[in-house]
Amino acid sequence: MGEEIMAAANYYSKDFEWDQLRQEIENNPSLAHHLLPFPNSSINQNQHTLLSSPLSLCSPQEDSEAWNNFHTRHSTGKFFKERRYLLKEFPELASCGECSTVLEIGCGNGSTALAILRGNKSISMYACDCSKEALERAKENVEAADINLAKERFYPFQCDFSASGFPNWLLSTSCRESSFQKQNMCSSGARSCSKQDFPDPPISAKNNSCLAGVDFVTLIFTLSAVPLHRMSRAITECFSVLKPGGLLLFRDYGLYDMTMLRFEPEQRVGYREYIRSDGTRSYFFCLDSVRDLFCSSGFIELELEYCCVQSVNRQNGKIMRRVWIHGKFQKPHVQVGP
């Protein structure tokens, strides 16, 4: 999945107040179509409930194909920049213990994986995307990077986590059942599993033992590309593959980001949900919608706020106001006692 080119190097900033931007947008008649309830949509705007309009219900195959075509068009790799800001905004990725594991969801061409592999020489990255083309680009970029043992620490695999869930070599069925029944996952040691649990595992999981979950999940400009009606399941899947105490690191498009305001009325397919001309979609989050999604799945909110960045287009001199959401959520530690 993808993200548009970023103009600034430091994204976690407060160049302007989001509430001031909100007032400007909501008082601008030319932008009124972004604020109207969507026809035939059952969304509860007061409670921030995420329910899709029938117009947004594309099949997982159609969504994957749109992103596959997207990455084919931008196969040079110039469309994305390595996200070197990530270890500054999420320092846990740099300071975590040796042999920690990260699951990067919606890895695209590897712009997130490269930054993490470069910043932490002992971490292992499991990276998935719904697009085969994206995975090929990610693999090529990691192999070409001058990073110590990057190729050996990077395991890409195809998966649409919002539709099919994660493969059992990440966390076996028996481990999932144990997690739900006992509020506990596998121990840090590998758990023995049957061969059918591993339809296409990476090399490290081919010994018929699941990984017993991961220490970190990163969702960097990925969830906004998931249809609204599949978001809740997607977050539940993320919760299930995290080890107790593990962190989910989140960054995505915020409400009233300038890219939202560029969409025409006919591109709306739901409340705050849009389809681009190439078939890829984008949703724009407010803090409450993110909080409801993650906390209702069992996560503990550690950090959640708007990231507001202002820059100037050098070609036309126009001010660009970007809004992203920065979030950090934790899976509760294992309960001790009965």
Side-chain angles (χ1 to χ4, degrees):
M1 297 181 182
E3 170 198 0
E4 296 184 15
I5 286 181
M6 301 301 182
N10 182 13
Y11 304 121
Y12 190 48
S13 183
K14 296 292 181 185
D15 292 342
F16 57 90
E17 293 297 324
W18 183 83
D19 281 328
Q20 180 180 353
L21 175 65
R22 177 184 60 82
Q23 292 176 9
E24 292 181 21
I25 301 304
E26 294 180 357
N27 290 323
N28 187 336
S30 67
L31 301 175
H33 64 278
H34 295 289
L35 313 175
L36 298 173
F38 194 80
N40 302 321
S41 176
S42 56
I43 188 168
N44 185 330
Q45 298 175 36
N46 293 325
Q47 296 181 2
H48 312 283
T49 303
L50 301 177
L51 298 176
S52 287
S53 158
L55 292 178
S56 68
L57 301 181
C58 296
S59 70
Q61 292 75 21
E62 290 174 303
D63 290 325
S64 296
E65 184 61 25
W67 283 110
N68 205 56
N69 293 335
F70 172 90
H71 286 287
T72 299
R73 290 193 304 275
H74 301 288
S75 60
T76 61
K78 296 180 180 179
F79 191 80
F80 293 97
K81 303 294 184 181
E82 185 175 329
R83 295 173 176 142
R84 299 192 178 188
Y85 64 90
L86 283 178
L87 272 72
K88 177 182 178 182
E89 311 310 344
F90 301 116
E92 297 86 352
L93 290 170
S95 62
C96 59
E98 291 187 8
C99 303
S100 294
T101 53
V102 178
L103 172 60
E104 159 65 0
I105 304 173
C107 66
N109 74 337
S111 54
T112 292
L114 282 169
I116 297 174
L117 291 168
R118 191 185 305 278
N120 188 324
K121 299 301 190 294
S122 66
I123 208 165
S124 293
M125 292 283 305
Y126 296 86
C128 70
D129 202 286
C130 65
S131 165
K132 290 183 178 180
E133 184 69 27
L135 292 169
E136 286 298 320
R137 300 288 80 75
K139 185 178 179 181
E140 291 173 0
N141 290 334
V142 168
E143 290 178 352
D146 184 20
I147 303 174
N148 183 46
L149 296 177
K151 181 179 177 181
E152 290 76 11
R153 296 184 287 125
F154 182 67
Y155 307 98
F157 64 99
Q158 187 173 13
C159 174
D160 185 342
F161 76 124
S162 70
S164 60
F166 294 114
N168 280 345
W169 54 258
L170 272 176
L171 190 71
S172 68
T173 302
S174 61
C175 292
R176 291 172 188 264
E177 292 173 351
S178 175
S179 175
F180 286 116
Q181 293 173 1
K182 301 178 181 179
Q183 294 186 341
N184 195 359
M185 280 188 166
C186 297
S187 63
S188 58
R191 179 73 170 265
S192 179
C193 307
S194 61
K195 290 186 177 181
Q196 60 262 32
D197 284 333
F198 309 105
D200 188 23
I203 294 174
S204 65
K206 286 185 177 179
N207 60 351
N208 290 350
S209 295
C210 74
L211 298 178
V214 295
D215 300 294
F216 299 94
V217 168
T218 58
L219 273 176
I220 310 297
F221 295 97
T222 294
L223 192 62
S224 58
V226 173
L228 288 179
H229 67 284
R230 300 209 303 262
M231 283 189 187
S232 180
R233 175 185 176 176
I235 300 304
T236 299
E237 283 291 317
C238 294
F239 185 88
S240 71
V241 298
L242 267 175
K243 296 176 182 177
L247 295 178
L248 187 147
L249 310 175
F250 178 79
R251 198 162 259 247
D252 218 320
Y253 295 111
L255 187 61
Y256 303 139
D257 178 63
M258 74 172 198
T259 59
M260 171 182 173
L261 306 180
R262 289 175 175 174
F263 282 108
E264 299 295 333
E266 60 270 17
Q267 291 178 287
R268 293 182 75 205
V269 293
Y271 186 60
R272 301 174 182 168
E273 186 180 19
Y274 302 81
I275 290 283
R276 302 180 182 90
S277 58
D278 61 5
T280 61
R281 68 178 64 243
S282 188
Y283 181 83
F284 295 85
F285 296 94
C286 68
L287 296 183
D288 287 324
S289 61
V290 175
R291 179 177 292 116
D292 289 348
L293 270 171
F294 285 90
C295 293
S296 63
S297 295
F299 281 102
I300 298 171
E301 177 187 324
L302 300 182
E303 296 177 9
L304 183 61
E305 56 187 317
Y306 288 112
C307 168
C308 301
V309 173
Q310 181 169 298
S311 59
V312 178
N313 188 309
R314 294 180 181 179
Q315 294 183 341
N316 56 30
K318 289 186 178 181
I319 294 177
M320 300 182 294
R321 288 184 293 186
R322 304 306 309 268
V323 180
W324 301 297
I325 287 186
H326 167 98
K328 188 183 298 181
F329 300 88
Q330 185 175 42
K331 181 170 182 171
H333 289 276
V334 177
Q335 299 292 324
V336 178

